[in-house]
Amino acid sequence: MNIKTPEFIQPDHSGYSFSYGNQRIWFQRSNRIDLTSKVLIKVHPDCTVDVSAPCNIPDDEVLKAVSKRSRWIYRQLREFGHQLAYVTPRKYVSGEGHYYLGRQYMLKVYENRLGTEGVKLLRGRFEVTVNNKSADRVESLLNAWYKSHAKAIFETCLVSLHEKTLWVEKLPSMRLLAMKTQWGSCSPKGTLTLNPHLVKAPRECIDYVILHELCHLAEHNHSERFYRLMSQVMPQWERVKSRLDGNAYKYLV
């Protein structure tokens, strides 16, 4: 007999909520200042839901807008919930699989108490040398390696993709920030923030995220104009987005 488990479990039961069938769905509201009255909804791979709306829109109007998209929110949560059900916490021991540019590599950990610590990608596997075989130390070295390589790859992609975005006159500045619920963001001043874990995804997914943020330099909201720009610079962006979303649980653990 199979044990029936909930289709998804939201990690933070606080903020606002609404019902869909027999499921209560929670979300956080954030306020923004802009000219549009749109309510923007994001469902993240960790099953959190963020809703942003202009400050002058009352909570009951926001709730109505969210309720209208309840079916879509539920489906997104269910999909991410199925993915999370198969996620095994990393132990950072030899034999584990770790991703880089969409490909999985086996981890091999070596202990050398007197040697130099470091990470190498050799012969189709990650080789990590540590003075002390602790999971925390292996994780720290791997994350530093990912961040270093992410910076170089993202900068190269940004320069290449900048040629496609004719509305971007000057190459924007970029910073890296590890995030659990976002691949990237664009500040009002034009600074791109990218998640170093994105370097674990295929290159076309990296291109998609960077182009997404570059489109925000012209249109800060997800308006019709924004999606027209996305389609101009990456006609297949919806397929690439689905590929990235479908594998987010592999890259963010």
Side-chain angles (χ1 to χ4, degrees), residues 79-95:
E79 181 179 341
F80 286 134
H82 287 328
Q83 295 174 4
L84 289 173
Y86 295 97
V87 173
T88 301
R90 298 285 190 193
K91 295 182 179 179
Y92 294 93
V93 295
S94 294

Side-chain angles (χ1 to χ4, degrees), residues 83-84 86-109 126 133-140 142-143 146 183 197 199-201 247-253:
Q83 295 174 4
L84 289 173
Y86 295 97
V87 173
T88 301
R90 298 285 190 193
K91 295 182 179 179
Y92 294 93
V93 295
S94 294
E96 275 189 341
H98 291 260
Y99 287 86
Y100 176 59
L101 294 178
R103 181 180 171 185
Q104 188 177 41
Y105 296 89
M106 188 186 76
L107 174 65
K108 180 65 177 177
V109 180
F126 278 112
K133 254 189 184 181
S134 70
D136 288 344
R137 186 56 186 156
V138 176
E139 180 182 10
S140 176
L142 261 180
N143 283 340
Y146 276 126
W183 293 119
H197 291 299
V199 80
K200 301 174 186 177
N247 290 285
Y249 68 102
K250 296 178 183 177
Y251 308 140
L252 292 173
V253 294

Side-chain angles (χ1 to χ4, degrees), residues 25-41:
I25 297 175
W26 297 80
F27 66 91
Q28 296 287 342
R29 174 183 176 166
S30 60
N31 294 321
R32 67 178 195 276
I33 301 174
D34 53 32
L35 299 177
T36 181
S37 60
K38 281 191 174 183
V39 175
L40 305 178
I41 303 169

Side-chain angles (χ1 to χ4, degrees), residues 201-236:
R203 285 185 183 271
E204 67 171 358
C205 296
I206 296 172
D207 287 350
Y208 158 72
V209 173
I210 293 176
L211 284 171
H212 183 106
E213 302 310 331
L214 289 175
C215 285
H216 275 315
L217 292 177
E219 189 66 28
H220 210 68
N221 301 300
H222 292 103
S223 63
E224 290 184 10
R225 184 190 176 211
F226 171 85
Y227 291 115
R228 283 199 302 270
L229 288 175
M230 276 300 304
S231 296
Q232 288 174 15
V233 294
M234 180 177 270
Q236 76 282 16

Side-chain angles (χ1 to χ4, degrees), residues 83-185:
Q83 295 174 4
L84 289 173
Y86 295 97
V87 173
T88 301
R90 298 285 190 193
K91 295 182 179 179
Y92 294 93
V93 295
S94 294
E96 275 189 341
H98 291 260
Y99 287 86
Y100 176 59
L101 294 178
R103 181 180 171 185
Q104 188 177 41
Y105 296 89
M106 188 186 76
L107 174 65
K108 180 65 177 177
V109 180
Y110 297 96
E111 185 176 67
N112 186 341
R113 294 187 179 276
L114 300 177
T116 301
E117 294 185 317
V119 179
K120 295 180 180 179
L121 188 56
L122 294 173
R123 297 180 289 276
R125 66 184 186 185
F126 278 112
E127 296 187 355
V128 180
T129 302
V130 291
N131 298 146
N132 180 7
K133 254 189 184 181
S134 70
D136 288 344
R137 186 56 186 156
V138 176
E139 180 182 10
S140 176
L141 287 171
L142 261 180
N143 283 340
W145 186 93
Y146 276 126
K147 189 170 184 178
S148 173
H149 284 70
K151 185 176 187 297
I153 289 173
F154 295 170
E155 286 177 348
T156 300
C157 290
L158 181 58
V159 171
S160 175
L161 296 171
H162 180 232
E163 299 175 1
K164 292 185 176 183
T165 54
L166 301 179
W167 59 89
V168 182
E169 296 181 3
K170 182 181 177 182
L171 195 69
S173 58
M174 181 191 72
R175 69 182 188 119
L176 300 185
L177 178 65
M179 299 175 281
K180 292 184 178 180
T181 61
Q182 285 183 288
W183 293 119
S185 65

